[in-house]
Amino acid sequence: MEFLRPDGLPDVLEARAAHPGALPLMGGTDVMVALNFDRRRPDALLDLTRAPELTAWDHVDGMVRLGAGVTYSRVIDELATELPGLAIASRTVGSPQIRNRGTVGGNLGAASPAGDSHPALLAGFAEVELASRDGVRRVPVDEFFTGVKQHAGRGDELVTAVWIRPATGPQQFSKIGTRNAMVIAVTSFGLALHPDREQVGTGLGSAAPTPRRARDAEEFLGAELDWSARRDIRDSVAAEFARLVATAASPIDDVRGTAAYRRHALAVMARRCLSWAWAEHQGRRH
Amino acid sequence: MTGFETVAGVPSATTATGNTTTSTVDGVGTSPLRPDGTLKVAGEFAFASDLWMDDMLWGVTLRSPHPHARITGIDLTQALKLPGVFAVLTHEDVPGEKHFGLEHQDQPVLAIDRVRYQGEPIALVAADHPETARRAAQRIKVDYEVLAPIVDAELALRPETPRLHEGGNLVRHVRVRTGEENPTADVVVSGAFEVGMQDQAFLGPEAGLAVPDGEGGIDLWVATQWLHVDQRQVCAALGLPPEQVRLRLSGVGGAFGGREDLSMHVHGCLLAQRTGKPVKMVYNREESFFGHVHRHPARMHYEYGADRSGKLAYARATIHLDGGAYASSTPAVVGNAGTMGLGPYDIPNIQIDCFGAYTNNPPCGAMRGFGSVQTAFAVEATMDLLAAELGLDPVELRARNGFREGSRAPTGQLIDAPAPVAELVEKLRALPLPDERPDAHDLRHLPGGVANTTHGEGVRRGVGYAVAYKNVAFSEGFDDFSTARVRVSIAGGQPVVTVHTAAAEVGQGLVTVEQQICRTELGIDRVVVAPQDTSVGSAGSSSASRQTYVTGGAVKAASESVRRLLLTSAATRLGRRRDDLQLAPGGVVLDGSGTVAITLADLLGDDHVEDTVEWRHRPTHPIDPETGQGDAHVQYAFAAHRAVVDVDVELGLVKVVELACVQDVGRAMHPQAVVGQIQGGSAQGLGLALMEEIQVVGGRITNPSFTDYLIPTILDVPPMPIEVLEYADPHAPYGLRGVGEAPTISSGPAVAAAVRAATGLPLSRVPIRPGDITGTG
């Protein structure tokens, strides 16, 4: 197996185009497991760690441009205020060691339906930056996931960053696991309130072949919430929101849980996340 | 992390024989550092997976993808063609006995015409690189005629079910009957219970290195629990005498019963013998799930009757244990589950039927708690049903019926040592309960943890109790001995003890205890533990909570013998009577006035004194096949737990808040290690109650990884207040009781009881899954 170690992003993209069979490697938390268990034997590995452009984040045009190689630990330490949903989700990833190595860009590249960052990115209306030798484009994250572990990037493209608007309202994330740490999501839910545009964002994880938004739930809740007077949410509204979230899922029975449990848990998480987020919007402790 | 830990109780009632000497430094009852502790903490300890020789080959195993199939052809051609491959072997290449097994010789070394479980070894490859060996194994072409798997232990025993082995699908039936045939009672409760398949989940995978000696014999370094039973089976398969098959213990990364059966032992030796080169085999995590036996899944039906005061009148139990494809230690597990399957309670009328069956599921055998773990879930749940029916406190019901010294076990055996069941549960009840909600704003204290599933919504607290008892050492007439060689010599002018046994150190700290015993008996501080191998006699297995008792007993006896030999030698040298001399701390012989008569350095010079002792505990006896009566067991260990849990009843997530344990250990040989055993055993029991299960569908394992076979993390394991009692067993060395298994047995049932208390649900199956609590299973 060849090990490609280009210096800097331009050379990385050259190598990506020249070696379509090369598997990009950043933190290694997914790739090394696949290699060690003989599940993947790519022709080459493309080492991304020598491209400093990937490991930086910055403010550009009023958005956070999060380099694909920024680790979960850094998201937690440096971006908890601006990207609270993603920070909460990052805290639920694996162990401290995994969070020190794993990256949001790697999560997107793997495109697992269970990826912990995806619901928060969906709820935050994020965009995925894809770059190749021939140029850069941005794809809305809810168009990025195209199938189980498949995404919209071409073979010569690389996920180089995620663009997210800093939070203008409360964000929440909940994840179900059958132990209290270091667990892959049985199912997960992200919620973002966007009071500036009176919109609600949602993201569902481990609930369908791809991470997805619950658009009916978003539209329903966006219209029902009393954004300016911030009046309490009626129980019937919260219940209908939870029901619409559960309805948006297409879960399966598998080794981690049943479809019925996943739907049930999504409804519970949706209701709770909404109550916490709205309490914060109202200026109450939750 | 832990709340409080105390070691309390009465002093040991035993007295040592002869001229007792006690070393004040690091002897019995103190907590010296482990000899391998620093290496392990520093990451420098060599485990079996670290074994290495420069010219070695790598062996891999081709395993069956099917739980049940006929093999209609094996074609090795393409595998042999791969450059770097040195050998490809099948059952035809096994020179000796083609089947092995701990109790029944029913398991093929390599499959012969039929596979009975997914993962059964079929062929072996040795190559100069592990990847080459794996690629070659993939090139072996095996033709299967797939058969319908038998995956239900009860169905397997029906007469119309096809037979998996010549003798039928019943491995063992234990029948226990006492008292009346049709007893009645004022109050009767019953329930059906199920326990899933737990894995030992040891961190060090199966590994070993087989090295041919160039003269037809072989040396095998291996991670195991029982060198001599391995040696017996390897010799049989290779067709070699014991002197040509030498086993040496390599670094063992946990065992818990999963290393009592062979894994790579014969396979590595076959490849080494064929190639004439050293061969290393090491399983990866996934293969490890197929490479060792698991805890038997159980289905159990229980019925208890009592009078209105809560005094037990009768008990009936039917237990089915799924042994999987091969017997392994199923007969002994059935023996334990059958003879101890009603809990540590006085019950005058008893009917137990315990069955172990062959199926096409993964083979099951030894795991910490060995048959008692499964039945304890049923017993303790049934006791709680009875308490509820009677309106009695669960502790009160257990205290009223618990064994005492003088009780009779279901086998009729007199319990002739302390059996403080009532005291254990009453002490637990007296412990203060943890705060209702320690810190509601720290998610780590809530069900779900930092996954942020609740800020208190839906959380209900529950408390549960359970009691365990467990036989220590091997039972039912097994000749259960250990061998210890103890030598005293002089090094650098100072006396040094060398203790040599074949007892496997699997992480439990036996090597430390051996040192402590030598120090106490000989008064010599420097004790070297020689590497464990088969050049000394068998120590028996590092299982059944037995090594401190049995190998400890052997080391004590050998030390006493060496002490007598030293004093005899001194008496001869000094022209005095042996009885007038005594060995004192610091390696000196004192005369009757307490004056130093001679130092060991002067007495021994370049010489040494040594003895080897084979030591046995008091004999046990088989049980009657019709009634289950007989003095089957050596000793019982007793433990009890109180679990406090918070359950998110809407999501089905559980946070164990506290897991308190009181255990009688007879004598705390190494108090710190005792507490460590209780903490570890409690965590393992908690794991079975809430998350640990090998999921098997149609005979296939669906979660062979630590991604989906979940074991408790530090955020799942709560503070553990532990109280250690020391009521000496007059029959045991130092009065000690085996420690390792009892806490594994009672912790899970206590957690399950607490979850039932929090939810009000019957929850008759463990592990309890979130869907079981939310009704969306």
Side-chain angles (χ1 to χ4, degrees):
Chain A
M1 198 188 316
E2 218 180 329
F3 192 59
L4 308 170
R5 306 198 74 194
D7 285 311
L9 189 58
D11 284 0
V12 165
L13 296 175
E14 283 297 329
R16 179 78 169 144
H19 300 88
L23 184 62
L25 173 64
M26 189 76 208
T29 57
D30 279 332
V31 170
M32 291 313 297
V33 174
L35 294 181
N36 285 336
F37 281 91
D38 207 4
R39 290 190 192 113
R40 294 190 79 160
R41 279 291 179 272
D43 304 330
L45 289 174
L46 176 58
D47 177 19
L48 306 180
T49 61
R50 296 160 80 93
E53 300 92 325
L54 294 174
T55 54
W57 67 267
D58 207 348
H59 296 104
V60 183
D61 301 336
M63 296 181 78
V64 173
R65 183 186 177 277
L66 182 68
V70 177
T71 63
Y72 297 111
S73 294
R74 287 184 58 200
V75 172
I76 296 164
D77 293 342
E78 300 167 25
L79 287 161
T81 308
E82 287 175 277
L83 308 177
L86 188 61
I88 297 171
S90 297
R91 280 188 204 107
T92 75
V93 173
S95 60
Q97 295 90 331
I98 298 285
R99 293 194 288 275
N100 286 340
R101 296 286 309 180
T103 63
V104 175
N107 216 208
L108 286 164
S112 161
D116 287 324
S117 35
H118 305 153
L121 296 177
L122 287 163
F125 305 147
E127 294 175 353
V128 182
E129 179 188 289
L130 293 162
S132 73
R133 195 169 50 176
D134 302 327
V136 179
R137 62 179 176 130
R138 285 200 231 160
V139 178
V141 69
D142 60 338
E143 294 168 25
F144 177 76
F145 305 107
T146 55
V148 177
K149 299 191 178 180
Q150 291 186 330
H151 60 70
R154 295 191 312 264
D156 65 337
E157 284 180 321
L158 201 65
V159 175
T160 43
V162 189
W163 293 70
I164 323 170
R165 214 166 283 284
T168 57
Q171 301 187 351
Q172 284 292 341
F173 173 82
S174 283
K175 165 175 147 182
I176 303 285
T178 34
R179 70 180 168 195
N180 289 309
M182 276 184 67
V183 70
I184 295 189
V186 174
T187 184
S188 61
F189 178 72
L191 175 72
L193 301 185
H194 304 283
D196 54 323
R197 35 177 141 170
E198 302 200 346
Q199 271 190 309
V200 172
T202 61
L204 281 57
S206 297
T210 65
R212 63 165 63 154
R213 286 165 63 182
R215 287 177 178 276
D216 290 348
E218 291 174 4
E219 279 166 31
F220 165 77
L221 187 62
E224 289 288 337
L225 289 177
D226 182 353
W227 292 96
S228 45
R230 309 187 181 201
R231 276 195 290 264
D232 288 352
I233 301 170
R234 292 194 314 277
D235 285 350
S236 60
V237 169
E240 178 62 6
F241 173 66
R243 191 189 70 79
L244 289 170
V245 166
T247 308
S250 315
I252 55 167
D253 291 342
D254 69 11
V255 72
R256 292 175 197 142
T258 62
Y261 176 76
R262 288 183 159 105
R263 276 189 202 281
H264 167 81
L266 280 166
V268 174
M269 290 190 293
R271 207 171 55 232
R272 289 184 183 174
C273 282
L274 174 59
S275 79
W276 303 331
W278 195 248
E280 187 182 332
H281 188 59
Q282 292 177 316
R284 289 191 285 119
R285 188 148 192 213
H286 53 92
Chain B
M1 196 50 212
T2 56
F4 63 89
E5 290 143 12
T6 57
V7 177
V10 296
S12 163
T14 53
T15 51
T17 52
N19 298 310
T20 306
T21 62
T22 45
S23 166
T24 50
V25 180
D26 292 347
V28 166
T30 67
S31 295
L33 292 179
R34 312 172 52 111
D36 54 1
T38 304
L39 287 174
K40 283 179 170 169
V41 170
E44 290 165 356
F45 182 82
F47 289 96
S49 50
D50 300 316
L51 289 162
W52 190 273
M53 284 181 81
D54 280 344
D55 58 343
M56 71 185 187
L57 302 175
W58 295 80
V60 306
T61 315
L62 177 71
R63 295 174 182 274
S64 168
H66 304 294
H68 195 195
R70 260 186 215 97
I71 297 175
T72 55
I74 303 181
D75 183 354
L76 308 178
T77 317
Q78 294 305 315
L80 285 162
K81 277 185 183 167
L82 197 66
V85 170
F86 281 68
V88 184
L89 307 180
T90 67
H91 69 88
E92 292 178 358
D93 303 294
V94 178
E97 302 270 342
K98 293 189 188 276
H99 292 80
F100 70 97
L102 280 174
E103 299 185 38
H104 293 322
Q105 207 173 316
D106 62 354
Q107 185 161 1
V109 172
L110 292 165
I112 306 170
D113 303 337
R114 187 174 181 184
V115 285
R116 294 181 179 84
Y117 72 97
Q118 180 202 23
E120 179 157 357
I122 294 170
L124 305 168
V125 178
D128 55 10
H129 190 280
E131 178 111 359
T132 306
R134 278 195 295 271
R135 294 282 169 272
Q138 286 166 0
R139 288 168 161 230
I140 297 170
K141 190 168 175 300
V142 184
D143 295 319
Y144 298 98
E145 182 195 323
V146 175
L147 303 170
I150 297 161
V151 296
D152 183 296
E154 285 175 64
L155 289 180
L157 296 180
R158 292 199 186 152
E160 67 273 19
T161 305
R163 295 176 159 207
L164 290 169
H165 292 271
E166 260 179 31
N169 295 337
L170 177 66
V171 182
R172 188 179 182 194
H173 170 202
V174 162
R175 194 172 184 275
V176 182
R177 296 289 185 276
T178 68
E180 297 169 34
E181 204 169 323
N182 294 301
T184 56
D186 300 338
V187 178
V188 174
V189 295
S190 66
F193 306 95
E194 207 174 317
V195 174
M197 184 186 290
Q198 191 180 20
D199 189 68
Q200 296 82 357
F202 43 67
L203 295 187
E206 293 83 348
L209 177 68
V211 184
D213 65 8
E215 297 169 359
I218 197 148
D219 291 275
L220 175 65
W221 280 261
V222 68
T224 182
Q225 288 178 243
W226 189 357
L227 287 164
H228 282 80
V229 84
D230 292 351
Q231 184 191 37
R232 185 191 85 209
Q233 296 173 92
V234 175
C235 285
L238 298 183
L240 291 175
E243 55 273 18
Q244 284 194 283
V245 179
R246 296 162 297 267
L247 269 70
R248 300 162 196 279
L249 186 70
S250 187
V252 183
F256 312 107
R259 296 188 209 270
E260 230 175 31
D261 297 77
L262 297 182
S263 59
M264 55 66 63
H265 308 54
V266 176
H267 298 162
C269 290
L270 287 171
L271 290 169
Q273 293 289 72
R274 173 61 66 95
T275 61
K277 285 171 163 291
V279 173
K280 173 173 174 170
M281 297 184 81
V282 51
Y283 295 174
N284 70 17
R285 180 58 54 196
E286 181 171 332
E287 186 174 18
S288 179
F289 276 98
F290 297 97
H292 61 259
V293 298
H294 315 290
R295 187 190 299 291
H296 292 73
R299 281 216 289 268
M300 302 168 283
H301 189 274
Y302 273 61
E303 179 180 308
Y304 280 23
D307 69 18
R308 299 241 169 251
S309 75
K311 191 169 159 36
L312 286 167
Y314 76 88
R316 287 199 184 98
T318 307
I319 303 156
H320 282 88
L321 299 171
D322 185 344
Y326 296 102
S328 177
S329 46
T330 294
V333 173
V334 170
N336 274 10
T339 60
M340 293 179 289
L342 296 179
Y345 305 113
D346 287 318
I347 310 173
N349 304 290
I350 286 171
Q351 296 175 18
I352 305 174
D353 287 283
C354 181
F355 303 91
Y358 285 122
T359 67
N360 291 114
N361 287 324
C364 290
M367 184 175 171
R368 192 179 196 176
F370 204 86
S372 294
V373 165
Q374 295 92 329
T375 53
F377 277 100
V379 168
E380 296 300 304
T382 308
M383 288 295 279
D384 284 344
L385 288 175
L386 188 58
E389 193 67 28
L390 289 161
L392 265 181
D393 177 48
V395 168
E396 190 55 39
L397 181 68
R398 287 169 171 84
R400 282 187 197 175
N401 290 286
F403 279 166
R404 286 147 296 176
E405 187 162 0
S407 289
R408 295 267 171 193
T411 54
Q413 184 168 7
L414 178 73
I415 297 176
D416 56 0
V421 171
E423 185 180 346
L424 297 181
V425 288
E426 282 164 357
K427 277 184 178 297
L428 282 170
R429 183 171 55 183
L431 290 176
L433 282 163
D435 289 346
E436 196 57 39
R437 184 67 38 77
D439 181 357
H441 295 288
D442 185 340
L443 289 175
R444 291 174 299 178
H445 295 307
L446 289 164
V450 297
N452 192 39
T453 48
T454 181
H455 298 174
E457 298 91 336
V459 177
R460 307 275 181 276
R461 178 152 291 188
V463 179
Y465 291 86
V467 189
Y469 86 126
K470 172 70 180 54
N471 58 330
V472 171
F474 282 25
S475 297
E476 298 188 61
F478 190 89
D479 183 21
D480 190 27
F481 64 93
S482 180
T483 316
R485 179 176 298 153
V486 170
R487 165 199 291 229
V488 174
S489 57
I490 305 299
Q494 296 297 317
V496 56
V497 184
T498 306
V499 56
H500 187 192
T501 76
E505 169 61 50
V506 298
Q508 80 278 46
L510 181 68
V511 288
T512 322
V513 169
E514 290 175 11
Q515 290 180 315
Q516 292 174 266
I517 291 172
C518 290
R519 291 187 191 114
T520 289
E521 297 303 328
L522 294 166
I524 298 170
D525 293 338
R526 284 175 65 199
V527 182
V528 175
V529 180
Q532 296 82 6
D533 58 33
T534 51
S535 72
V536 64
S538 178
S541 180
S542 289
S543 63
S545 307
R546 67 179 283 287
Q547 283 295 24
T548 299
Y549 192 130
V550 188
T551 292
V555 171
K556 180 171 187 279
S559 297
E560 287 164 355
S561 172
V562 165
R563 188 171 69 217
R564 283 191 295 272
L565 291 170
L566 286 168
L567 292 175
T568 303
S569 172
T572 307
R573 172 82 71 88
L574 300 170
R576 304 199 193 178
R577 291 178 48 228
R578 193 183 79 180
D579 288 352
D580 294 338
L581 301 174
Q582 64 172 349
L583 198 55
V588 294
V589 176
L590 304 182
D591 64 18
S593 67
T595 311
V596 174
I598 190 168
T599 66
L600 290 183
D602 289 339
L603 178 66
L604 289 174
D606 293 334
D607 211 351
H608 68 264
V609 167
E610 170 182 302
D611 198 19
T612 305
V613 172
E614 203 169 85
W615 189 87
R616 284 169 170 76
H617 54 68
R618 56 183 174 156
T620 60
H621 304 281
I623 52 170
D624 182 279
E626 291 304 312
T627 64
Q629 300 301 292
D631 290 349
H633 301 304
V634 183
Q635 182 191 55
Y636 296 115
F638 294 93
H641 277 86
R642 183 187 74 189
V644 179
V645 304
D646 279 341
V647 182
D648 181 339
V649 297
E650 292 174 40
L651 288 174
L653 303 179
V654 178
K655 171 76 181 175
V656 182
V657 175
E658 186 191 89
L659 191 52
C661 180
V662 181
Q663 182 167 346
D664 176 16
V665 304
R667 175 82 192 272
M669 299 290 284
H670 186 298
Q672 194 181 48
V674 164
V675 169
Q677 283 290 320
I678 294 171
Q679 290 167 334
S682 301
Q684 209 157 21
L686 179 160
L688 176 56
L690 296 178
M691 62 187 84
E692 292 193 39
E693 182 176 9
I694 295 186
Q695 298 184 47
V696 182
V697 179
R700 288 187 164 81
I701 299 178
T702 58
N703 59 337
S705 72
F706 280 164
T707 304
D708 285 313
Y709 183 89
L710 299 181
I711 54 179
T713 70
I714 193 148
L715 286 181
D716 300 285
V717 177
M720 295 181 182
I722 292 168
E723 187 167 353
V724 174
L725 307 180
E726 294 185 277
Y727 294 127
D729 179 339
H731 311 285
Y734 305 105
L736 72 84
R737 287 167 200 270
V739 173
E741 292 176 287
T744 319
I745 298 165
S746 45
S747 79
V751 169
V755 176
R756 283 185 209 108
T759 59
L761 297 168
L763 301 172
S764 59
R765 186 187 193 281
V766 291
I768 297 167
R769 298 201 190 96
D772 300 333
I773 295 172
T774 56
T776 52

